[in-house]
Amino acid sequence: MNILLLFVIIPAVMLLALWGSRNLRQTRAVMVAGSTLLLALSVYLTVDFISMRSAGESAPMLYTASWSWYEPLNICLSIGVDGISVAMLLLSSIIVFTGTFASWRLKPMTKEFFLWYTLLSAGVYGFFISTDLFTMFMFYETALIPMYLLIGVWGSGRKEYSAMKLTLMLMGGSAFLLMGILGIYFGSGATTMDINEIAALNNIPAEMQYIFFPLTFIGFGVLGALFPFHTWSPDGHACAPTSVSMLHAGVLMKLGGYGCFRIAMYLLPQAANDLAWIFIILTTISVVYGALSAISQTDLKYINAYSSVSHCGLVLFAILMMTRTACTGAILQMLSHGLMTALFFALIGMIYGRTHTRDIRQMRGLMKIMPFLAVGYVIAGLANLGLPGFSGFIAEMTVFVGAFSVNDTFHRVVTVIACTSIVITAVYILRVVGRILYGEPENEEHKKLTDATWDERFTVICLVICVAALGIAPMWVSDLIGTGVGDVLSNIIE
Amino acid sequence: MNYIQFFDMRPEVALLAVYLILFMYDLVSAGRYRRLFHPLACMLATAMVAVTLSDRSTFTLFGGMYESNAMIVFMKAVLAFGSLLAILQAHKWLRSEHTFYKQGEFYILLLSTLVGMYFMLSARHFLLLFIGIELASLPLACLVAFDKYRHNSAEAGIKYILTSMFSSAMMLYGISFLYGTTGSLYFTDMVQHITGAPMQIFAFVMFFAGLGFKISLVPFHLWTADSYQGAPTTVTAYLSVISKGAAVFTLFIVLIKVFAPMIEEWQTVIYITIVASITIANLMAIKQHFLKRFMAFSSISQAGYIMLAVIGGQADGMTAMVFYLVVYMVANMAVFAVIESIEWKIRGAVRRETCNGLYRTNPKLTLVMTLALFSLAGIPPFAGFFSKFFVFMSAFSAGFCVLVFIALINTVISLYYYLLIVKAMYMMPNEEPVPAFKCDPYIRIELILCVAGIILLGVCSFVYSGIDSISFGM
């Protein structure tokens, strides 16, 4: 029994258990038990993985296993993890775990909500553990479609519109992606869909790479909020319920970055080298434009959604630099942004649940009314603008140092441009913090509000601890992902 | 002539036996025995599926006019299973006031079309093929007009029979040209004389147009929407799945057995029809408010996707096509069963707005509908995702990259209109949603079978592998 399979089996069992659950109590019990189990599993996996690496295991993938699935088509159920996927699994299970508590009091149709939520998380876990193109694509799409119902039924605002826009844009992306996957498979002439074997063959003709690299990269890039395909993201995040925003910004958008790195660039290295400049320009626009858009927004969720566009753009920006430091920074940024943005969305959801507005012009002096949430918000904000001691600093530093170390004018110029986002981030974060948290409360209704409940405190504390831990002790992550990044990069840089 | 040969045709013999038993029972039964008619029909149909599946022999009969092999028999079993689903679905309709006295006719007509389709699949001679197609079409027209007291149904029947006859005439015209240029009607003889001469291309286009009507490909689709909407829902389901499946399979066989030497010419023709079918049907489907009409356009676009497997003309395409048909059958039958159940509850045609707020009153039924629609849209982990993927794969491997890309973009459009229904069921508010109700027990059995298919067919790969192992026999 491969331990990785549990990441799919546990959600499957949870789905069945949720289907059979009769009341709210049972639903919550199933969710808490399942997500705790998954969290424990991923922590165990991380520890075990690091100890195996330090014991000298140098194989690119550990815990590998493969079962033939559709034999005539060479489709296998191949699983295996390297450091990057382990880090992503850990991130996912933290977010799923805290998301469960963030939607503790969600109504109505709690059971159905958690059914789709679990299906979504199953897709995410499956994507990160699989190493077969078909299986990856299957899990990728499995993770996308529950979003439609989660946003459309349980969301707020223009939820139907946003849900449809998000689903169609992401599915459009996956149409591109499917073309890319078929091109990779048939182009390599491989007798397997296993990505490591295709990468080892490395025989896709250059002219095919030039066609299928952009398709694959854009396919994943849509989910990674690549400019100009990011427009689903602000609407989708703004209308989604709290835990879905958390999961979506925290984990799902990372699927895009991970896929770009693991499939598009890894399997089509020559085109990645030759065409990277196009996407570097696009991601630079994402980084700066996302941050600038966030300044002009007045809705808390929109601010954070545009901030996500900016930060996820930075992930894609970093991997396209193709230096070891920058790519390590990209993975760190994925982790850091995943945790920070989940914290942000959780807090916004909690504040919105009390004030029933997300408009920053209508809130004032929340620090006096709900100190716990306000302090949490300040911490999230400071982490987001890259204060040393929190995860954001480490990640952005690594990215920019890595990017600037590429020795040519083009890369250095775009790095400088992208660096301006740090300043802009500070502007929109401090503006919000100053506006809604400080000063005297103006709205009489707001003065009657209460501070966080136990489940909300638990969510916030968990995430703050993770953000701080990543910021204070980033070295263990570098140990974890070092070999993985090195292996992928050595295939890209000939 | 050795008459014992007839008994080699086991699927047909089984079908004939069922046919005769039901016919006799219709004549002799009266009173309370009448109530056993439907269970009897269901049991016999199940037995028929079992007998058909058990047959694996490969042989030809009547000097090569009739061929049977594992693939053909499997396809016959699929069609028989689809008919079983249709019979299950028909229960409540057959018990209703206007149809009760002609219950027997329904079974007989249904099974007659099935005989026709069996001969379509097995025919290796154009005359037998033509007889098969006619036998499959004429009783279907009666079925479409079965609710003759309803204006719509009668109109649908007329539309169906007229287009059907027109297409048959065109096909016959094409066949006559083929006979003129090759001097034979046997597939095996004709293929040696097919060169892609202009007259043969003309003949092919005529023949293709004839079958295109049955498959309802654009531009031969104009009858579809009206006939689907007017026909009794059970018959619509039968029309959209079984009749279409048999025609696609037959087309594939004729293409590879007869028109193989002019593959480039027919690939061009099919290329155009695929692009037209998928795109036009998808755009039209968005505008439909009546669910049955909507499903008509959905089925046209699905036919386009099935043709993606045909266009390569390879063995893996055959596998992908048959698998697609099986998956499409369970999903589509589930949708029609849900529509029929709602129709009985509200006593009228189901519009998209009718579904508003359905989840609050009928959560289980809504869930079944959601699964079926997701499967039709090709969303994993449901079977539709797998079948679509394999179809794309087979077309891609045959070199039709751009076509696959067009089809993929169209899946996004199709997802939009399938989601419109999901949206209606889960999100749209409704003052008076369809009240909670229990489905007819037979429909419930059908839905369970369909949902099992939707969930398991993709995940359990042995169905695909099984089809694959016999498709090389073609």
Side-chain angles (χ1 to χ4, degrees):
Chain A
M1 176 75 182
N2 193 303
I3 178 177
L4 294 179
L5 274 187
L6 285 175
F7 278 108
V8 181
I9 292 172
I10 293 175
V13 172
M14 281 164 75
L15 282 177
L16 288 178
L18 283 173
W19 179 245
S21 74
R22 295 234 175 77
N23 50 39
L24 191 60
R25 218 184 160 77
Q26 289 180 356
T27 309
R28 284 175 177 170
V30 170
M31 281 311 292
V32 171
S35 57
T36 314
L37 210 56
L38 283 165
L39 184 62
L41 188 66
S42 58
V43 170
Y44 168 77
L45 182 71
T46 315
V47 174
D48 199 42
F49 188 88
I50 294 178
S51 66
M52 275 168 93
R53 275 282 186 251
S54 56
E57 281 280 357
S58 61
M61 293 268 176
L62 301 181
Y63 306 100
T64 50
S66 184
W67 297 272
S68 182
W69 195 6
Y70 280 94
E71 205 177 347
L73 300 171
N74 299 322
I75 290 171
C76 296
L77 184 65
S78 313
I79 54 175
V81 282
D82 64 357
I84 308 175
S85 3
V86 172
M88 290 298 124
L89 284 171
L90 184 63
L91 172 70
S92 316
S93 45
I94 292 172
I95 309 283
V96 170
F97 177 73
T98 48
T100 305
F101 286 94
S103 39
W104 196 252
R105 286 160 214 274
L106 181 121
K107 281 190 178 80
M109 298 198 275
T110 317
K111 172 174 138 181
E112 287 81 357
F113 176 83
F114 281 121
L115 265 177
W116 294 110
Y117 184 79
T118 309
L119 184 64
L120 173 65
S121 62
V124 171
Y125 289 124
F127 179 77
F128 287 130
I129 62 168
S130 45
T131 59
D132 180 274
L133 282 176
F134 176 82
T135 338
M136 280 182 110
F137 182 69
M138 184 188 84
F139 283 120
Y140 177 84
E141 289 220 327
T142 308
L144 296 189
I145 198 70
M147 291 303 291
Y148 180 72
L149 288 163
L150 286 172
I151 296 177
V153 178
W154 290 276
S156 55
R158 299 163 72 198
K159 51 187 185 176
E160 284 102 5
Y161 165 79
S162 307
M164 189 63 94
K165 182 174 177 182
L166 177 140
T167 315
L168 291 185
M169 283 194 73
L170 295 184
M171 282 294 166
S174 73
F176 280 72
L177 180 58
L178 181 52
M179 273 308 279
I181 284 177
L182 290 173
I184 289 170
Y185 173 65
F186 286 110
S188 71
T191 52
T192 167
M193 284 207 178
D194 190 287
I195 51 173
N196 292 307
E197 290 181 36
I198 293 178
L201 281 174
N202 194 9
N203 60 353
I204 304 176
E207 59 273 21
M208 286 186 84
Q209 291 200 20
Y210 290 133
I211 299 171
F212 293 112
F213 174 71
L215 287 172
T216 319
F217 199 91
I218 290 174
F220 279 118
V222 174
L223 189 52
L226 175 72
F227 179 88
F229 308 105
H230 67 282
T231 51
W232 56 269
S233 153
D235 289 324
H237 285 143
C239 297
T242 305
S243 58
V244 176
S245 291
M246 289 167 68
L247 196 61
H248 198 225
V251 182
L252 226 66
M253 285 171 88
K254 309 299 171 291
L255 256 65
Y258 179 89
C260 284
F261 194 47
R262 196 15 88 59
I263 294 183
M265 298 177 62
Y266 186 45
L267 300 183
L268 301 161
Q270 194 181 341
N273 276 296
D274 294 347
L275 301 180
W277 62 273
I278 302 175
F279 293 102
I280 288 179
I281 292 174
L282 289 180
T283 51
T284 314
I285 297 175
S286 283
V287 172
V288 181
Y289 168 78
L292 283 173
S293 306
I295 290 188
S296 62
Q297 298 298 324
T298 54
D299 183 311
L300 280 178
K301 276 199 163 181
Y302 270 99
I303 294 176
N304 208 35
Y306 276 110
S307 152
S308 289
V309 171
S310 168
H311 283 110
C312 285
L314 203 57
V315 172
L316 296 178
F317 176 82
I319 59 173
L320 285 164
M321 289 296 158
M322 289 182 262
T323 64
R324 198 174 165 137
T325 323
C327 290
T328 310
I331 312 298
L332 277 171
Q333 172 75 1
M334 285 196 214
L335 289 175
S336 147
H337 173 256
L339 295 168
M340 280 182 333
T341 204
L343 178 58
F344 249 135
F345 277 120
L347 287 164
I348 293 172
M350 292 165 196
I351 292 174
Y352 176 64
R354 291 173 168 71
T355 60
H356 301 290
T357 177
R358 292 193 304 254
D359 193 328
I360 59 172
R361 291 165 300 191
Q362 294 175 12
M363 288 184 273
R364 197 110 180 94
L366 294 185
M367 188 66 98
K368 296 213 169 98
I369 303 167
M370 36 186 104
F372 182 86
L373 292 180
V375 169
Y377 202 90
V378 172
I379 294 175
L382 293 180
N384 210 9
L385 58 79
L387 191 77
F390 293 112
S391 56
F393 172 72
I394 304 292
E396 290 186 1
M397 267 308 279
T398 325
V399 168
F400 288 124
V401 168
F404 201 75
S405 66
V406 182
N407 198 5
D408 74 66
T409 325
F410 171 69
H411 284 86
R412 291 197 163 163
V413 169
V414 290
T415 309
V416 171
I417 296 174
C419 271
T420 57
S421 74
I422 301 180
V423 186
I424 308 173
T425 307
V427 174
Y428 64 75
I429 294 292
L430 295 178
R431 169 171 161 262
V432 171
V433 168
R435 173 79 201 146
I436 69 167
L437 300 184
Y438 296 106
E440 283 301 315
E442 286 168 356
N443 192 328
E444 288 303 316
E445 290 297 312
H446 287 182
K447 286 181 187 165
K448 296 177 198 148
L449 298 174
T450 52
D451 206 358
T453 55
W454 71 268
D455 47 286
E456 293 171 336
R457 280 172 201 259
F458 184 72
T459 311
V460 172
I461 290 172
C462 281
L463 286 168
V464 168
I465 290 174
C466 293
V467 170
L470 189 59
I472 295 166
M475 286 321 290
W476 64 271
V477 184
S478 307
D479 292 343
L480 179 65
I481 62 181
T483 329
V485 171
D487 283 333
V488 176
L489 267 184
S490 66
N491 201 57
I492 301 173
I493 308 163
E494 299 297 330
Chain B
M1 180 141 182
N2 187 358
Y3 287 99
I4 204 79
Q5 278 184 334
F6 279 106
F7 289 98
D8 289 342
M9 308 174 358
R10 222 193 293 174
E12 283 82 356
V13 172
L15 181 57
L16 198 65
V18 174
Y19 188 98
L20 287 176
I21 295 172
L22 288 175
F23 192 57
M24 299 312 273
Y25 194 85
D26 190 27
L27 288 181
V28 299
S29 71
R32 60 197 182 88
Y33 289 105
R34 200 71 191 168
R35 263 188 236 144
L36 294 175
F37 204 177
H38 198 73
L40 179 74
C42 294
M43 278 191 306
L44 286 175
T46 317
M48 184 174 79
V49 176
V51 170
T52 312
L53 263 180
S54 69
D55 187 18
R56 278 295 160 97
S57 47
T58 304
F59 57 88
T60 55
L61 290 178
F62 314 125
M65 267 182 126
Y66 177 99
E67 185 185 349
S68 179
N69 60 33
M71 188 73 218
I72 290 174
V73 171
F74 179 77
M75 193 60 205
K76 285 176 183 170
V78 170
L79 297 181
F81 181 69
S83 312
L84 169 65
L85 292 181
I87 293 176
L88 284 172
Q89 189 179 328
H91 178 246
K92 194 156 185 182
W93 173 55
L94 292 178
R95 301 294 293 269
S96 66
E97 179 192 353
H98 291 289
T99 34
F100 185 66
Y101 66 95
K102 47 182 185 178
Q103 193 177 0
E105 290 170 31
F106 171 77
Y107 305 128
I108 303 298
L109 288 170
L110 192 85
L111 295 176
S112 308
T113 63
L114 203 56
V115 178
M117 288 170 203
Y118 278 12
F119 280 109
M120 277 161 75
L121 302 186
S122 280
R124 293 297 173 267
H125 184 280
F126 267 108
L127 274 186
L128 188 61
L129 178 69
F130 184 72
I131 293 171
I133 289 175
E134 287 305 284
L135 188 52
S137 312
L138 289 176
L140 254 179
C142 306
L143 281 175
V144 170
F146 208 66
D147 284 347
K148 58 186 181 218
Y149 55 90
R150 273 199 306 122
H151 166 76
N152 276 351
S153 182
E155 180 195 332
I158 285 292
K159 279 193 173 140
Y160 183 79
I161 191 78
L162 286 180
T163 45
S164 180
M165 287 305 100
F166 183 61
S167 67
S168 297
M170 277 170 73
M171 183 188 289
L172 211 50
Y173 193 50
I175 292 174
S176 69
F177 270 87
L178 280 177
Y179 182 69
T181 52
T182 60
S184 171
L185 284 174
Y186 284 95
F187 289 6
T188 41
D189 297 338
M190 290 169 80
V191 68
Q192 292 155 9
H193 301 285
I194 297 279
T195 53
M199 199 177 276
Q200 284 172 347
I201 295 175
F202 176 75
F204 165 71
V205 172
M206 289 312 237
F207 176 79
F208 180 71
L211 269 183
F213 271 106
K214 304 276 185 287
I215 312 174
S216 65
L217 289 165
V218 175
F220 317 113
H221 68 290
L222 292 167
W223 60 277
T224 319
D226 287 336
S227 298
Y228 276 35
Q229 194 185 3
T233 309
T234 309
V235 179
T236 314
Y238 188 79
L239 204 59
S240 74
V241 178
I242 290 103
S243 154
K244 182 172 285 194
V248 175
F249 192 88
T250 311
L251 178 64
F252 199 155
I253 288 181
V254 173
L255 287 177
I256 55 174
K257 296 259 178 197
V258 179
F259 292 107
M262 46 185 280
I263 183 161
E264 298 208 339
E265 284 84 356
W266 62 253
Q267 277 181 341
T268 318
V269 174
I270 291 181
Y271 196 113
I272 298 167
T273 43
I274 291 177
V275 174
S277 299
I278 297 181
T279 317
I280 294 176
N282 272 349
L283 295 178
M284 301 284 273
I286 296 175
K287 285 283 165 201
Q288 306 305 321
H289 284 270
F290 287 97
L291 277 201
K292 273 163 78 180
R293 220 177 160 78
F294 162 82
M295 287 308 291
F297 285 103
S298 145
S299 85
I300 297 171
S301 103
Q302 296 282 351
Y305 286 106
I306 301 175
M307 295 301 288
L308 278 176
V310 177
I311 194 169
Q314 293 163 339
D316 63 338
M318 172 68 91
T319 319
M321 180 192 75
V322 174
F323 186 66
Y324 197 106
L325 285 174
V326 175
V327 171
Y328 169 66
M329 184 173 84
V330 287
N332 229 26
M333 292 305 276
V335 172
F336 277 112
V338 173
I339 293 178
E340 171 132 28
S341 310
I342 301 175
E343 267 177 357
W344 282 109
K345 186 67 197 170
I346 62 166
R347 299 268 157 192
V350 182
R351 298 168 62 90
R352 201 196 284 151
E353 296 79 48
T354 318
C355 295
N356 287 358
L358 190 65
Y359 186 77
R360 297 191 185 274
T361 49
N362 296 290
K364 280 189 184 154
L365 202 64
T366 313
L367 197 69
V368 171
M369 184 80 162
T370 314
L371 295 187
L373 290 174
F374 279 178
S375 183
L376 285 176
I379 303 289
F382 310 115
F385 169 76
F386 294 86
S387 60
K388 274 220 167 95
F389 191 93
F390 299 151
V391 163
F392 290 141
M393 222 167 142
S394 78
F396 200 97
S397 72
F400 294 94
C401 307
V402 180
L403 184 63
V404 171
F405 190 63
I406 297 171
L408 273 169
I409 297 299
N410 268 291
T411 54
V412 182
I413 304 178
S414 72
L415 181 67
Y416 171 68
Y417 59 71
Y418 289 125
L419 283 184
L420 283 182
I421 299 181
V422 174
K423 176 176 157 187
M425 294 189 299
Y426 285 88
M427 299 169 203
M428 303 306 275
N430 196 348
E431 295 296 310
E432 291 171 27
V434 180
F437 66 92
K438 270 191 152 40
C439 284
D440 179 71
Y442 286 91
I443 289 193
R444 219 175 297 163
I445 297 173
E446 186 200 358
L447 286 177
I448 290 170
L449 286 173
C450 289
V451 168
I454 289 169
I455 293 175
L456 295 178
L457 276 174
V459 180
C460 305
S461 60
F462 64 85
V463 180
Y464 184 87
S465 307
I467 299 172
D468 189 72
S469 65
I470 50 180
S471 73
F472 286 94
M474 305 302 295

